[in-house]
Amino acid sequence: MAGKRKAIKVVTKPKTASVEPLSIDDMCIDNGRGEKFWLKRLRYRGVPTLVRAGCNQGEFKNPDELVLANRDGFIREVYRLKPTGSTLTHHSRIAVGLVFYLRYLDEFEPQALPLANDNMERCIKHFNNLRLNGVTPSLSMHIRRGLAYILKQLGRESDARNLPEVSNLEASGKQGALDIETELKPIGRILTKGYRALIQHIKNDTHPDIHPFFDEALFNKMSAKQGWKGNKLSSQKRAFKLAVRASAYARTKNLFDDKTLKRVALLNQTSRCALQLFFMLTGMNDSVLKGMKRSDVKFKAIGSGYYVFDGVKGRAGHKQIDNSLGFSKYTKQLIEDWLEVSKAHFVVAGVDDINHQPFIPYLNTNHEVKDFNLNSSNPSYVNGLIGKLLACQINSSRFRKTKSDILTRVTEDVYLVSQGLNNTLNVVTRSYSGGVEADHNRDLSAMMETQAQIGRGESIAESIKNAKVLHSDILSDYDHNERFKRHEIPTTTIAPHGIRCTGDSNKKDQITRKLKNLAIDLVKNEKKCTAFLECFDCPYHILVASEQDIWLMLSFYEQVTEMKDIPAQNSIPKKKLYEIEAILSRTLTRFEQKAPAQYASAKEKMEISSHPLFANLRGLVDTLEVFNV
């Protein structure tokens, strides 16, 4: 008998779905190394940070000030994205790139859709401009990578490809040499002031409430320029206080008492300042100075009061340490003082044999002595503080390029520059020949002006002459005196219109005879120039932005403008007067830009009276007659 058919048992597989936390507060992304990014931060304007340690860890610092940004749907989309490569990259693209993009939107386009093409384009271009000015040099790259990563995951490959490219850092020259007057000197003052104050605190065993870099006037000027207000302004200023406090991470580890943690924070800040100061004063390579040991500090005199480190580089064929140009006795004294002051690092760390310890030490959270090649040492913290006072960034490369630029100007010989930098000719040509952007702009302006005048029918020679003075360098009074002391320029005489001159020897006899006939006796150094209306075209002229020079030029300018409107009292053509007036006007504008304080003082003098040489209109006429114009 046949058996009964058995019913086939149908096994159904229950449907499954990915489990997604209902609350955005529970959503986070892990980088695979234990670091989490909580997406609840994206819900609020400005993407606020969370407390990293203590009883409120993981909470917002100021919950009462949070403002919803209305992008919960977008946040859920981001959370559903799966890593296309490493979890570390996935975490970085969102926790860095996306965060800074949303912060930009909240500041400039608060009502915009997060991934609108126009907004993404404007954002990248905005940070590109900052990058070319040396500010936040990496943000445009991080933002573009983050946006491209998210767009590709959402199937918008075409939009990802069309995102603006990140500008090349070297393209603008802003990452090249620092301008000595407007950048290097202010930076030097901040570094020197901060360094001296910090080492004094170490010696006195005291602790500052705020980083000595802080300068109220510079900070207020920068905040006005950047438009910092409210919480943004407070956070920028608070950074100077946080810089001299122990980090939250160090306090959380709770390995040392508060006094020791504060002292270590002070020591590390002083080391960071010393590192940047020595970069500036020596022009050495980043890895070389960071890796130097105390035992490497051996000075060798090279004459004229200059010294070099007498040591081995440890790379590039074991060349000597790259400070062939040398440094001054003042720098040598600073380095010797640092060797004494930095002993405090080793006392805290309990290290006895300090001879083979780092020249510029860094203490990690376990208070072990390291150098600044360590990733977590963060030597760029100094840059962050200076960036809140000045619109420029510093690093060893820029200081080295500045040294190269000065060498090039003085020697005009790429071989000597390569010897000074201890590099090959190819390296110097490729890496250190960019120069200062202001100089390039000045040269380009002169070139464009020359072309414009040629286009108006002027001769090439005449056009070049007219452009040269309007774009020539203006020295500060300090610069002029320093160059004179170093015998880089000869003695100068101030001409009746405020231009200084080293003199044209061919006309010396001529003016001597003229003065003798007029029974006018002048000291020897003043018998130098005759046709002072031609000074602007003369290769011997020097523009110095001192109060007296500017006062004299303002007085002369006023006389020239009056002479145009009266009947001719001399042989000067009216056209010539108009040309001189235009040149003087533009030169005075450049004086005001170069030395605003001196210009303001000269203006005040001018309001009281003109320079005695031009007390009245007859003064100019007499001067023209004396100088045979």
Side-chain angles (χ1 to χ4, degrees):
M1 180 177 167
K4 290 185 178 180
R5 288 183 64 187
K6 293 183 180 179
I8 298 173
K9 191 182 236 181
V10 179
V11 179
T12 58
K13 188 177 180 180
K15 292 182 180 180
T16 59
S18 58
V19 179
E20 179 180 298
L22 296 177
S23 173
I24 291 177
D25 290 346
D26 297 326
M27 296 180 183
C28 70
I29 298 171
D30 196 299
N31 71 347
R33 297 181 180 179
E35 186 177 344
K36 294 182 178 181
F37 174 75
W38 294 91
L39 271 72
K40 63 182 179 181
R41 292 177 54 195
L42 305 181
R43 297 189 72 194
Y44 304 100
R45 294 271 177 87
V47 193
T49 56
L50 305 176
V51 178
R52 298 182 62 182
C55 57
N56 293 323
Q57 184 175 359
E59 301 297 326
F60 289 106
K61 293 181 179 179
N62 301 299
D64 296 335
E65 299 176 5
L66 299 178
V67 178
L68 283 169
N70 299 318
R71 49 181 171 235
D72 287 8
F74 172 69
I75 294 171
R76 293 183 186 277
E77 272 190 291
V78 171
Y79 180 73
R80 294 188 192 105
L81 300 178
K82 301 301 179 185
T84 57
S86 71
T87 54
L88 190 65
T89 300
H90 181 75
H91 178 274
S92 172
R93 297 293 182 262
I94 294 170
V96 180
L98 181 61
V99 163
F100 281 103
Y101 171 65
L102 293 179
R103 283 179 176 170
Y104 165 86
L105 285 187
D106 291 339
E107 184 173 356
F108 297 103
E109 307 279 350
Q111 305 302 323
L113 295 173
L115 295 181
N117 289 329
D118 289 347
N119 296 326
M120 292 187 291
E121 181 179 344
R122 278 194 293 270
C123 174
I124 294 173
K125 287 182 177 179
H126 169 77
F127 285 103
N128 262 341
N129 288 332
L130 294 179
R131 176 183 175 90
L132 293 178
N133 281 280
V135 183
T136 59
S138 61
L139 277 191
S140 56
M141 177 183 64
H142 288 307
I143 291 171
R144 191 189 188 285
R145 285 176 178 174
L147 291 175
Y149 180 81
I150 292 170
L151 289 172
K152 287 176 182 176
Q153 291 234 51
L154 295 175
R156 295 173 58 182
E157 288 85 356
S158 176
D159 291 338
R161 285 193 301 271
N162 291 330
L163 289 173
E165 293 297 326
V166 173
S167 302
N168 189 333
L169 273 177
E170 297 295 334
S172 71
K174 287 292 179 87
Q175 293 300 309
L178 294 159
D179 182 86
I180 295 175
E181 185 66 30
T182 61
E183 295 178 324
L184 187 63
K185 285 185 178 179
I187 289 168
R189 284 192 288 268
I190 292 172
L191 286 174
T192 305
K193 168 194 164 188
Y195 174 76
R196 292 192 179 282
L198 289 168
I199 62 172
Q200 200 58 48
H201 279 291
I202 292 174
K203 291 177 179 178
N204 298 338
D205 197 20
T206 55
H207 197 85
D209 295 325
I210 191 168
H211 200 292
F213 278 178
F214 183 72
D215 184 297
E216 189 79 40
L218 288 176
F219 181 80
N220 290 340
K221 188 176 179 181
M222 179 60 77
S223 64
K225 183 178 179 180
Q226 297 292 338
W228 296 334
K229 294 179 182 178
N231 291 336
K232 181 72 172 178
L233 180 64
S234 301
S235 66
Q236 296 293 331
K237 194 170 186 178
R238 189 165 58 248
F240 290 92
K241 294 184 177 180
L242 295 176
V244 290
R245 296 179 187 173
S247 68
Y249 181 65
R251 294 197 302 269
T252 303
K253 291 189 74 171
N254 201 27
L255 297 177
F256 306 96
D257 60 84
D258 288 343
K259 184 178 180 181
T260 303
L261 290 176
K262 286 172 66 177
R263 186 157 180 79
V264 169
L266 174 66
L267 293 173
N268 284 339
Q269 277 297 338
T270 311
S271 282
R272 292 185 183 103
C273 183
L275 180 69
Q276 299 297 339
L277 184 63
F278 295 153
F279 276 142
M280 181 183 73
L281 295 174
T282 65
M284 290 176 65
N285 267 322
D286 183 274
S287 59
V288 178
L289 186 59
K290 285 178 179 179
M292 279 183 66
K293 304 293 184 184
R294 291 172 68 89
S295 57
D296 293 329
V297 183
K298 298 172 184 175
F299 301 106
K300 182 169 73 174
I302 58 174
S304 302
Y306 277 75
Y307 301 83
V308 294
F309 287 127
D310 186 16
V312 176
K313 202 176 197 178
R315 67 174 181 85
H318 296 284
K319 294 178 182 177
Q320 293 296 306
I321 284 178
D322 55 345
N323 64 133
S324 306
L325 177 66
F327 41 82
S328 67
K329 186 176 181 180
Y330 170 75
T331 303
K332 176 178 177 285
Q333 290 171 344
L334 278 179
I335 292 170
E336 290 172 334
D337 290 343
W338 172 249
L339 288 173
E340 188 62 32
V341 171
S342 60
K343 287 180 180 178
H345 291 74
F346 312 114
V347 172
V348 171
V351 175
D352 296 325
D353 179 22
I354 66 171
N355 192 42
H356 297 291
Q357 296 298 323
F359 166 49
I360 303 179
Y362 168 76
L363 297 176
N364 65 12
T365 53
N366 295 323
H367 292 186
E368 298 166 335
V369 179
K370 305 291 182 182
D371 62 35
F372 279 90
N373 284 313
L374 185 71
N375 285 336
S376 60
S377 60
N378 296 314
S380 60
Y381 278 177
V382 167
N383 222 352
L385 296 178
I386 289 179
K388 301 178 193 305
L389 303 174
L390 301 170
C392 60
Q393 298 282 290
I394 61 172
N395 52 52
S396 61
S397 177
R398 295 201 74 185
F399 284 135
R400 190 166 173 79
K401 287 178 180 178
T402 305
K403 171 184 173 181
S404 166
D405 181 65
I406 295 170
L407 268 174
T408 304
R409 290 189 191 188
V410 173
T411 65
E412 297 184 352
D413 189 323
V414 71
Y415 176 75
L416 292 177
V417 174
S418 72
Q419 293 299 300
L421 297 174
N422 206 23
N423 282 115
T424 65
L425 292 174
N426 287 338
V427 170
V428 169
T429 304
R430 185 176 65 250
S431 303
Y432 301 116
S433 59
V436 181
E437 189 197 22
D439 295 339
H440 298 321
N441 287 342
R442 188 160 50 242
D443 294 341
L444 285 171
S445 297
M447 182 190 72
M448 296 301 290
E449 180 128 6
T450 302
Q451 289 180 340
Q453 291 192 24
I454 292 170
R456 291 196 295 267
E458 296 280 355
S459 70
I460 294 176
E462 193 66 25
S463 300
I464 292 172
K465 275 185 183 181
N466 293 339
K468 275 169 65 176
V469 66
L470 296 175
H471 302 282
S472 59
D473 190 22
I474 293 180
L475 301 177
S476 69
D477 206 22
Y478 173 84
D479 281 335
H480 179 264
N481 292 333
E482 284 297 302
R483 293 188 186 185
F484 178 71
K485 282 191 286 186
R486 294 195 298 265
H487 306 292
E488 292 176 10
I489 56 173
T491 305
T492 57
T493 298
I494 187 167
H497 49 22
I499 288 182
R500 299 195 191 192
C501 185
T502 58
D504 185 345
S505 57
N506 293 330
K507 297 182 179 179
K508 195 171 185 180
D509 294 337
Q510 180 185 347
I511 189 63
T512 301
R513 288 194 301 270
K514 185 73 175 178
L515 292 170
K516 185 178 180 180
N517 293 336
L518 294 170
I520 297 175
D521 187 25
L522 292 179
V523 297
K524 183 179 178 181
N525 283 338
E526 291 185 359
K527 300 175 183 179
K528 288 187 175 180
C529 184
T530 55
F532 69 89
L533 292 186
E534 307 299 327
C535 279
F536 293 98
D537 297 332
C538 174
Y540 300 99
H541 85 272
I542 298 173
L543 296 173
V544 181
S546 74
E547 181 182 310
Q548 287 296 321
D549 292 27
I550 297 172
W551 182 30
L552 194 53
M553 188 171 288
L554 285 168
S555 304
F556 181 74
Y557 176 69
E558 185 178 75
Q559 293 282 290
V560 168
T561 54
E562 288 186 20
M563 282 194 73
K564 292 189 308 159
D565 301 324
I566 63 174
Q569 298 188 30
N570 52 72
S571 59
I572 304 177
K574 279 290 184 74
K575 180 184 177 185
K576 182 68 175 177
L577 284 173
Y578 278 102
E579 288 175 358
I580 293 171
E581 181 190 26
I583 291 173
L584 289 171
S585 175
R586 295 174 67 174
T587 305
L588 286 166
T589 300
R590 294 177 61 222
F591 272 142
E592 185 177 13
Q593 294 169 347
K594 177 74 173 183
Q598 287 79 1
Y599 185 87
S601 300
K603 264 287 199 185
E604 289 178 8
K605 283 190 172 186
M606 190 65 193
E607 289 173 2
I608 298 171
S609 70
S610 298
H611 192 279
L613 186 61
F614 301 112
N616 53 57
L617 186 59
R618 187 64 202 170
L620 177 56
V621 176
D622 291 341
T623 305
L624 296 176
E625 289 177 356
V626 169
F627 285 92
N628 192 29
V629 178

